[in-house]
Amino acid sequence: MLSSTFRRVRTELLPILADLRFAIALLLAIALFSISGTVIEQEQSAAFYQANYPEAPALFGFLTWKVILAIGLDHVYKTWWFLSLMILFGSSLATCTFTRQFPALKAARTWKFYDRPRQFEKLALSAMVPTSATAASLAPLAQALAQKRFKVFQSDNALYARKGLAGRIGPIVVHASMILILLGAIWGTFTGFMAQELVPSGDTFRVQNIVQAGSWARPQIPKDWSMRVNRFWIDYTSTGDIDQFYSDLSVLDNQGQEIDRKTIHVNQPLKHQGVTVYQTDWAIAAVKVRVNNSPIFRLPMARLQVEGGRLWGTWVPIKPDLSAGVSLVARDMQGTVVVYDTTGKLIGSLRTGMSLSVEGIELSLIEVIGSTGLQIKADPGIPFVYAGFGLLMLSVMISYISHSQVWALLEDETLYIGGRTNRGQILFERELVEVVNQLQQEELNVAAAPLVTAEAGDLT
Amino acid sequence: MDLVALQSILDNTSFAVLFVTMLLYWGGAAFPRLPYLNSLSTAGMAIANLCIAGLLGARWLEAGYFPLSNMYESLFFLTWGLTTFHFFAERVGQSRLVGVVTAPVAMGITAFATLTLPPEMQNSAPLVPALKSNWLMMHVSVMMLSYSALMVGSLLAIAFLVVTWGQDIELKGSSVGTGGFRAQLKRTTLQESAPSQFSASEGGTAVLSPPQSATRTLSLQRLTLAESLDNLSYRVLGLGFPLLTIGIISGAVWANEAWGAPWSWDPKETWALIVWLVFAAYLHARITRGWQGRRPAFLATAGFFVVWICYLGVNLLGKGLHSYGWFF
């Protein structure tokens, strides 16, 4: 039973997987489905699709929100059919390596001398050079080929030369490294996790808000250390655009002792015990204000729902019974907030360290406190993916090399020479033409030497 | 020296030079016997290449970072790449046809960049925080070079399709299958139909004079015009594909180092993957038995448009980190 299944796999499934036309169809199918994910908006709410892809009139006559949600066009790259395509792609790569590439490499390595003139006839680039019996030798040819960096093998009357065998090995490594990348990615999705935290400047936090984690990700999530945001700040350019975000972070052990510290920014994360902390986002957490001569209040700021901008706002009570207050709105962390009075009228802007009279009180702005948006991640698949990347870059360059072979045979005062290459036809042709011309010229010189006076006219 | 004035001189000059060069290449193809046209057109391409290099260099000096931050600069970098790979193809193929297809495209891109792009999009702009990294230079320049190589290669495939239109083709220039072997009958018909002035090497010194006797003789069968175009396109695409692979990988490594996600299916990276898949299909079609000739060339032609969608089309969506300028 088992062996018959195995045989069926070998005789029916493998030939399909190894078929180049199947591989091409697979490549183009993945391309086509990937396009769908760039045309249809991904990861939106059901309401979004209902609004944009109504049932009547259906887009192209069929593309309604029901169709999109049913076949998963709202998350193409995570659907079972897209992942199956990728797995099929990986199997096709592996099969092709064993059933095609290894035999092709073996065939390229095991060469033979051509010992009959007939064998040269099938080669497009083949020629006959008549040689005089006295000068019949393969040595000039061997020398000419060696000069062109061929590796030359020679017997009494036959010659084989090759170069660029690496060009046959390159594609094998390309396939192997792509399999390594796919496996690394799969390993990473099972063992990795990703979390996001929005932490006000000065707070200490543990990794809790886990957005995504694989089935075996538990050991990766940090339990014996926490992290403190010593300070978060933004540098602005002279025109008011954001130049860079910075977070000064400390890693703390369970006793609260600092064991690591680094200031991170975009493109410069912190790494600790296989976990990486990236700077990805920011928000305004709170403002510190004083009303007349009161103690300093720290008031949280909330994100306001507005179109086309990021705004945060808070409310400052100006009466002890909280019956009235003014509003503060901030747009960025350059230290300025805008103040509105109890009726919602704009009073003016207030800078850090300054004060403003509003509704008969003196309001002082002490500080605008930001929160840093951090992405915390561990991905044990990355070393495999990176190894695959390195191998892939190297091997895809090696695959440019053309594998060239030249055969020659000396028989009946004739030198038969022929060759072929698998990629760079044009340059190989030029090389072989040069070699043949050179041999022909030498032959003419040898033959002409005693006859120069008599037959010079015929030879030119 | 006034770098801004120099830039406006250089970009207009490169457009004008490329326009003249295009006419010279076309003239050279139409009247192959006219003297000087060949060297003039190659010189024109070289001048354009140097002008653009000067333009980009001036902007680099002015802005203080690698000039690939907006649409204008990237269009000029693309043209610089196109002219560079043009020289590679012209040198390897020793064919005047290369310029006939590359010069108009290079001219078109510079025309668009100098004449159509609004002035505020031509000025260099400060980089957003995410792009402040040495990876920018590596990733973006390799991607742009790969686009230019892939464009030159697929333009040659289009030229191959035009030249062989309506003909029966049998090619030698493929990796396996019939590659490198004689196909006597069909070859003779092709040799007759191909105009001799375009053949891979002029002079034909390699054809050996046959001996007097009636026995079988062998002489080197040279590549025809169609075959050399096909192989030239393959070799240039063969350069573009590794560049694209390295470009995508450097982007993935950068994204992982900066944000902790090597791949996030952002439209631009998805389209770069689509380009990669299309040309991977092309490379495999070339080694498929019985598919040599037109089918891979059709794939490469499709690839030409896919590269353009990836390069410009995706920016129309104006989403994500890759939206370096849009114009509608």
Side-chain angles (χ1 to χ4, degrees), chain A residues 265-279:
Chain A
H265 58 84
V266 180
N267 286 321
Q268 199 58 252
L270 175 146
K271 289 184 186 173
H272 186 76
Q273 289 181 2
V275 175
T276 316
V277 182
Y278 302 88
Q279 178 75 59

Side-chain angles (χ1 to χ4, degrees), chain A residues 308-319:
Chain A
R310 285 158 72 97
L311 286 179
W312 289 264
T314 192
W315 186 80
V316 186
I318 53 169
K319 287 193 178 150

Side-chain angles (χ1 to χ4, degrees), chain A residues 237-372:
Chain A
T237 62
S238 52
T239 53
D241 296 317
I242 291 173
D243 183 49
Q244 190 59 275
F245 319 102
Y246 298 92
S247 298
D248 176 0
L249 301 178
S250 291
V251 179
L252 309 174
D253 64 11
N254 280 343
Q255 282 72 48
Q257 294 294 310
E258 182 177 281
I259 44 180
D260 198 0
R261 182 168 183 167
K262 185 178 180 184
T263 300
I264 66 166
H265 58 84
V266 180
N267 286 321
Q268 199 58 252
L270 175 146
K271 289 184 186 173
H272 186 76
Q273 289 181 2
V275 175
T276 316
V277 182
Y278 302 88
Q279 178 75 59
T280 50
D281 199 6
W282 66 281
I284 294 175
V287 279
K288 281 185 179 170
V289 292
R290 182 191 285 136
V291 179
N292 289 333
N293 291 319
S294 73
I296 294 169
F297 297 119
R298 179 179 158 139
L299 300 169
M301 291 200 97
R303 180 88 186 263
L304 303 177
Q305 295 295 325
V306 283
E307 282 283 326
R310 285 158 72 97
L311 286 179
W312 289 264
T314 192
W315 186 80
V316 186
I318 53 169
K319 287 193 178 150
D321 61 353
L322 304 182
S323 64
V326 296
S327 309
L328 303 184
V329 174
R331 192 173 64 87
D332 53 32
M333 288 193 35
Q334 300 193 72
T336 304
V337 298
V338 180
V339 185
Y340 294 86
D341 69 8
T342 45
T343 59
K345 198 166 81 69
L346 175 68
I347 298 299
S349 61
L350 179 56
R351 289 197 62 79
T352 311
M354 311 290 270
S355 57
L356 188 78
S357 289
V358 51
E359 307 267 332
I361 56 131
E362 193 74 6
L363 181 70
S364 311
L365 178 64
I366 311 299
E367 193 186 356
V368 179
I369 300 169
S371 310
T372 178

Side-chain angles (χ1 to χ4, degrees), chain A residues 86-107:
Chain A
M86 295 304 256
I87 290 169
L88 211 54
F89 178 60
S91 333
S92 167
L93 276 171
T95 319
C96 195
T97 301
F98 287 105
T99 60
R100 292 181 158 271
Q101 291 184 311
F102 280 124
L105 176 65
K106 202 177 162 198

